[in-house]
Structures are given as C-alpha cells and as structure tokens.
Amino acid sequence: MSDVPAAPDARRVVFDVWSDYLCPWCKVAATRLAELEREFEGALVLRWKSFLLRPRPEPGRDLEKFRRYTQSWRRAAEAEPAARFEVWSSEEGPPTHSIPAHLAAKAAAELGPAAFANLHAALLTAYFENSRDISQPETLAALWREAGLPEAAFARAAEPELLRRVLAEHAEALELGVGGVPAVRLAGSDVAITGAQPTEAYRRWIRKLLYPA
C-alpha cells in the first residue's frame, strides 16, 4: 500500500513520454516510471508517444558489430538494477528500424490500457533481455500472442492510420526540440525533459504538481 496521500479533488499528473523500444535508457525510464505509477495509485498518468531512433529500414546491418554494441547496455543495467539487460546472444537481428514495434504498441493500445501495458513490457523484455528482433513481423506476432491479445486484432498494426500517428508523434517531439529519448513533459507544456531521470527526481516533480505548497 502506498504512503502517498490521495490527491485532492481527484487531481492527476499527466506526463507525455517519448520513447523508442530500441533505446536502453528508455527501458530504464520505463522501469522507474512504472514504479511511480504503482506508488501514486492512479494519480500519475503516462501517455507513451513514439520517437524513432531508426525511422527508416536499414537492412544488412552487421550482427557482430551490433552484438558488440549491446555490451554498452551494461551501463544502463548498472544505473537501474531493477531493469534487466542481457548482451545479444541470438542469431536474430540486428533490428532494421523502429517503426514496427511502435505500430504493434499502438494497435495494442486500442484494445485498452492493460493490453498496451502487457505488450509494452513484452517488447522491452524481448529486445533487451531475450535477444529477439522486434523489427520482424513474425516476432511481433509471437509477442502479441504471448501477451494474450486477440490474434485477429494484430492486423490493425498494418493500418496506415497508425503509421501516421507514429510519425506525427515523432514530428511533435522534434518540434519541441527533443533530440533524444527518453523525454518527458507535463501534458500541455512546451518543454520536455530529456534523459532517464533518477526515480527521486521524477517523484519530487510529481509531488510538487499534486500537492503544491
């Protein structure tokens, strides 16, 4: 049970969070923000938005070079012990671009918050812990099934409307001056804070907004 008092007048803090499923520091931020969602028991609302570190397909990337790159994920693991990372160990990949995972996440969100939360976590786990290439349709379809989502609804990820939404969210971030992720802003603000902030920094920000002096 949280020791945070109930927010007066059902006050809520709504954060827009730009993130990419191929970004290790986005997993760090997701881990910390998920902890705070539980702590503030409905008073914190996260609106996940797409940012594209690899906006276009890049076929033919070198697997061994990519495998060496994933050793850098250890830094993220050291920064946030609650977020698991493993150096790439499979023969899959490297992922060719960012868009497919975002499309699947958007399709899951249309089924409701729980469906999105399940697939959001599954995508991060698959990539950073289980060495699965989340840019591949067959991998995404498997994760969709493993998350317990209705199989027929996966086709929604191929709809042009969702692609337009993903691209619009990325463009919105660029217009705000966001050059990297994770990036968090208070909904309605024109300023985003970039980088995986310490949990306590997020906590102080939320408390100040919920319980102003």
Side-chain angles (χ1 to χ4, degrees):
M1 193 72 168
S2 170
D3 61 356
V4 176
D9 304 321
R11 186 178 293 129
R12 297 289 183 270
V13 170
V14 180
F15 282 162
D16 292 325
V17 186
W18 278 272
S19 179
D20 191 304
Y21 290 103
L22 303 183
C23 166
W25 294 100
C26 290
K27 185 179 183 188
V28 169
T31 301
R32 293 170 177 172
L33 290 169
E35 176 187 340
L36 292 169
E37 273 189 304
R38 294 187 293 270
E39 179 179 328
F40 286 93
E41 297 184 317
L44 173 63
V45 177
L46 303 177
R47 301 194 303 201
W48 291 92
K49 292 176 174 278
S50 301
F51 191 91
L52 307 174
L53 293 176
R54 292 188 176 276
R56 290 170 294 278
E58 300 177 28
R61 296 178 65 210
D62 183 83
L63 179 57
E64 289 309 312
K65 182 177 179 181
F66 172 70
R67 204 187 303 277
R68 291 192 295 273
Y69 151 73
T70 66
Q71 294 175 7
S72 69
W73 294 353
R74 291 178 174 136
R75 289 175 46 236
E78 291 168 0
E80 180 48 71
R84 283 190 56 201
F85 293 88
E86 298 291 341
V87 172
W88 200 264
S89 60
S90 80
E91 296 304 311
E92 291 187 34
T96 56
H97 62 138
S98 298
I99 289 177
H102 285 290
L103 292 174
K106 288 284 185 284
E110 294 194 339
L111 299 174
F116 171 78
N118 287 344
L119 192 66
H120 179 73
L123 287 165
L124 292 169
T125 298
Y127 182 56
F128 290 110
E129 298 180 34
N130 300 330
S131 301
R132 297 171 74 177
D133 182 355
I134 59 173
S135 68
Q136 295 303 312
E138 57 272 20
T139 302
L140 292 171
L143 290 172
W144 186 275
R145 291 191 299 271
E146 291 164 20
L149 305 184
E151 195 162 346
F154 180 68
R156 178 70 173 145
E159 292 292 330
E161 176 192 344
L162 293 192
L163 177 59
R164 286 193 292 270
R165 197 182 305 169
V166 165
L167 296 177
E169 290 177 357
H170 179 71
E172 181 185 12
L174 297 181
E175 289 172 6
L176 286 171
V178 173
V181 282
V184 180
R185 75 165 179 186
L186 178 66
S189 170
D190 59 359
V191 176
I193 297 175
T194 302
Q197 302 301 310
T199 303
E200 186 54 34
Y202 289 130
R203 183 181 286 114
R204 287 196 302 268
W205 187 13
I206 296 163
R207 283 184 174 274
K208 184 176 180 179
L209 292 165
L210 284 175
Y211 315 111

